[in-house]
Amino acid sequence: MQAQQLDKTAISISQDSMTAYLRLPEPLQGQKYLLEDIRSVIESAGVKVGIDEQAIQQMIDYGIYNRTMAVASGQAPQNGTDGYYEYKFQKQLDGKPKINEDGSVNYTVQLFELVQKDQVIALYHPAVRGENGVTVRDTPVRAKLGRDLPPLRGRGFTCKEDGVTYVASITGKIDVINDKVTILPVFEVRGDVDVNTGNIDFRGDVVIHGSAFDIEIRATGTVSIDGTVQGASIYANKGIVVRGGVLGNGKSIIDSKSNVSAKFFEFATIRCKGDITADNLLNSNVYCEGKAMVLSKKGCIVGGSVHAVSGIEANSIGNNAEIRTHVLVGNGGEVRRNMEELHQSIAVAVANLQKADQVLEKFAEFEQKTGQSCKDDPRRVQLVRLRVRDMARKAADEEALRKLEMMLVNAQGANIKVRKRVYPGVNVSIDTYDTACKDIFEDIIFIKEQGNIVMRRLSTG
């Protein structure tokens, strides 16, 4: 029996060159295909890798004709995976109270996470490099290589000898900002603080597992108090949480550059750049750049003044005794006045800098003409000092202006929502517009519309 001849037209290769196909025409009577001949034709067609001789032999043995069958396969690349860190702590905490299903508010707020010395804080999983592939034409197919991450940046921790296990080197608060891990010491008091313990001024976070009486607490981080605040003042660069409440006695100041929350505030002054959350705000003066939220079932705002730039949500405002209560949202006009003052201050600084640059340029021209240095000339030295001062003032004013502009954005559309009742004696202000409540209103939202404050049903939007 003679060998049936085959030409290269029987071979086809996929577009990605990863698979070669064979189509055997039916041989003439008395002829047959030979494996070595077919292999030779496949190779002459440019197929060099992954030839499946068993598949070819089966086509011959079982008479698989006029059907296209895969007879060679390349090797697909095995892409690598990037390295990653597995953190053993919570990277993000919202620091806000939670509303329970029964309408009450849970003030057990976690402002930060504490870690103990030698505690594992992160594990690094190295990159898998990956393997290149190859086509049936023996052309390399490059794999995507996994990339390793740089070592963890920050302070307060170390890496073990294995190079992948990170542990805390001190006991303290752990935080992640811009992928930088920092563990800082925490000032912790297991009990009350008062005039006997003295004022607290700490670079970091303060935790009081008791109450604070008639002292001043200052922290560059957060302040967390498990009990109550009575006559004490708290200043923090981050959040403040009082799980009990604040009995201000007319002298407590609660000042935060972030959020503030407490069970209640009574006869206190509260200032914060974030949101304020409480069950009750009683006879207190409040200013916050976020929202004021008094949302528990029996929550109310009674007496004093509450100004929240981004809006107010309350269960009720005022009471049957018609105690004078003022609630404000929006910028109230003072923001725009402050912005105008900042614009003027920046313009003065720019003018001073231009004059300074002109005079300094004359000093430079004099030096170039005469070859004499004016570096130590008292007039020039004083001018440089004034220029540095004006540059610093201009930068500070521009940053303050940027924050006020953001406040205006946040104040757009600010409103006052009252789920239950608003009583007579309540004055409502939105931006520069005011109105006084002379009757009891229920289920109300106050909004600004065409230069007036109008009321609508809250339940119907």
Side-chain angles (χ1 to χ4, degrees):
M1 183 175 291
Q2 294 182 347
Q4 173 70 46
Q5 297 300 310
L6 187 70
D7 59 36
K8 291 190 290 185
T9 60
I11 311 300
S12 60
I13 300 175
S14 64
Q15 188 173 359
D16 61 4
S17 297
M18 295 301 292
T19 308
Y21 300 94
L22 172 64
R23 183 183 181 89
L24 291 177
E26 189 171 346
L28 298 174
Q29 188 173 3
Q31 294 187 345
K32 65 174 294 185
Y33 292 105
L34 298 178
L35 175 61
E36 55 269 25
D37 292 340
I38 295 176
R39 182 180 180 92
S40 178
V41 173
I42 291 175
E43 290 176 347
S44 68
V47 179
K48 302 176 181 179
V49 172
I51 297 174
D52 188 349
E53 293 187 350
Q54 184 176 359
I56 299 171
Q57 189 63 56
Q58 286 180 346
M59 292 180 70
I60 296 172
D61 294 342
Y62 293 102
I64 302 174
Y65 304 128
N66 298 316
R67 286 175 56 190
T68 300
M69 304 290 291
V71 293
S73 299
Q75 182 178 346
Q78 299 297 316
N79 289 332
T81 56
D82 294 338
Y84 66 96
Y85 285 100
E86 178 187 354
Y87 293 97
K88 298 296 185 178
F89 60 92
Q90 297 183 70
K91 291 181 66 178
Q92 292 183 334
L93 299 168
D94 62 14
K96 295 183 179 181
K98 303 293 188 295
I99 300 177
N100 300 320
E101 292 183 0
D102 62 0
S104 62
V105 180
N106 181 2
Y107 289 93
T108 304
V109 175
Q110 187 175 1
L111 291 176
F112 53 80
E113 184 169 348
L114 285 171
V115 294
Q116 301 299 316
K117 183 180 179 182
D118 298 327
Q119 178 181 332
V120 175
I121 62 167
L123 292 174
Y124 180 63
H125 296 266
V128 177
R129 305 307 296 176
E131 295 182 8
N132 291 334
V134 65
T135 70
V136 295
R137 300 181 187 275
D138 199 20
T139 302
V141 181
R142 296 196 177 278
K144 178 184 177 183
L145 300 181
R147 295 183 178 181
D148 273 312
L149 295 175
L152 275 184
R153 297 182 302 129
R155 57 176 172 161
F157 60 89
T158 58
C159 185
K160 288 188 173 182
E161 292 182 0
D162 61 9
V164 297
T165 306
Y166 291 82
V167 296
S169 56
I170 61 171
T171 296
K173 183 203 77 166
I174 191 165
D175 204 358
V176 181
I177 300 176
N178 297 328
D179 294 326
K180 189 176 182 180
V181 178
T182 304
I183 302 175
L184 295 173
V186 174
F187 187 95
E188 190 171 14
V189 179
R190 297 193 175 279
D192 297 337
V193 290
D194 53 26
V195 291
N196 293 317
T197 59
N199 294 333
I200 297 171
D201 191 344
F202 186 68
R203 292 186 62 82
D205 300 279
V206 174
V207 179
I208 308 297
H209 297 294
S211 298
F213 301 90
D214 301 309
I215 64 169
E216 186 174 281
I217 299 173
R218 292 182 179 271
T220 59
T222 61
V223 175
S224 176
I225 297 178
D226 290 345
T228 60
V229 170
Q230 298 185 36
S233 293
I234 304 173
Y235 302 86
N237 285 356
K238 294 185 180 178
I240 297 174
V241 170
V242 183
R243 293 185 175 88
V246 177
L247 293 166
N249 301 327
K251 59 182 181 179
S252 288
I253 297 174
I254 310 299
D255 190 309
S256 167
K257 293 182 180 178
S258 183
N259 299 323
V260 170
S261 64
K263 188 73 173 176
F264 63 86
F265 293 93
E266 184 173 344
F267 290 103
T269 297
I270 305 100
R271 301 188 294 256
C272 70
K273 292 187 178 297
D275 298 333
I276 180 170
T277 308
D279 280 1
N280 297 286
L281 292 172
L282 307 174
N283 297 300
S284 294
N285 291 316
V286 178
Y287 176 78
C288 71
E289 295 180 9
K291 286 186 175 182
M293 294 174 285
V294 185
L295 302 178
S296 68
K297 277 187 175 181
K298 297 182 180 180
C300 61
I301 300 173
V302 179
S305 173
V306 177
H307 182 179
V309 173
S310 298
I312 295 174
E313 295 184 40
N315 196 56
S316 66
I317 302 178
N319 63 7
N320 284 319
E322 299 186 12
I323 292 178
R324 183 175 177 83
T325 305
H326 193 189
V327 287
L328 310 84
V329 296
N331 64 70
E334 68 272 11
V335 172
R336 296 188 186 278
R337 288 192 292 272
N338 291 339
M339 289 177 66
E340 181 59 32
E341 290 175 0
L342 287 170
H343 278 298
Q344 293 176 1
S345 178
I346 292 170
V348 170
V350 169
N352 289 340
L353 289 170
Q354 290 175 345
K355 292 178 182 177
D357 289 339
Q358 291 172 358
V359 177
L360 288 172
E361 187 175 344
K362 290 181 180 179
F363 274 110
E365 291 174 355
F366 177 81
E367 288 179 333
Q368 188 174 7
K369 289 180 180 179
T370 64
Q372 298 179 14
S373 175
C374 298
K375 181 179 179 181
D376 298 323
D377 188 305
R379 295 170 299 175
R380 184 183 183 280
V381 171
Q382 179 65 12
L383 189 62
V384 170
R385 288 176 181 170
L386 293 175
R387 186 177 185 277
V388 171
R389 181 203 65 184
D390 288 331
M391 288 182 65
R393 286 181 179 176
K394 177 174 174 288
D397 287 345
E398 288 174 340
E399 176 62 17
L401 182 61
R402 185 191 66 80
K403 291 180 179 179
L404 291 179
E405 288 172 343
M406 184 59 64
M407 283 180 60
L408 281 184
V409 173
N410 294 336
Q412 291 179 0
N415 54 55
I416 299 171
K417 298 177 181 177
V418 187
R419 294 177 176 177
K420 289 188 178 178
R421 290 184 174 181
V422 180
Y423 293 86
V426 173
N427 290 323
V428 175
S429 298
I430 301 179
D431 292 337
T432 57
Y433 301 94
D434 306 287
T435 189
C437 296
K438 298 180 180 179
D439 297 297
I440 293 177
F441 301 100
E442 296 185 348
D443 185 35
I444 286 295
I445 178 172
F446 294 89
I447 62 174
K448 185 178 73 173
E449 190 174 274
Q450 295 180 350
N452 293 299
I453 295 177
V454 298
M455 293 181 289
R456 300 189 188 280
R457 284 285 179 196
L458 179 59
S459 57
T460 58

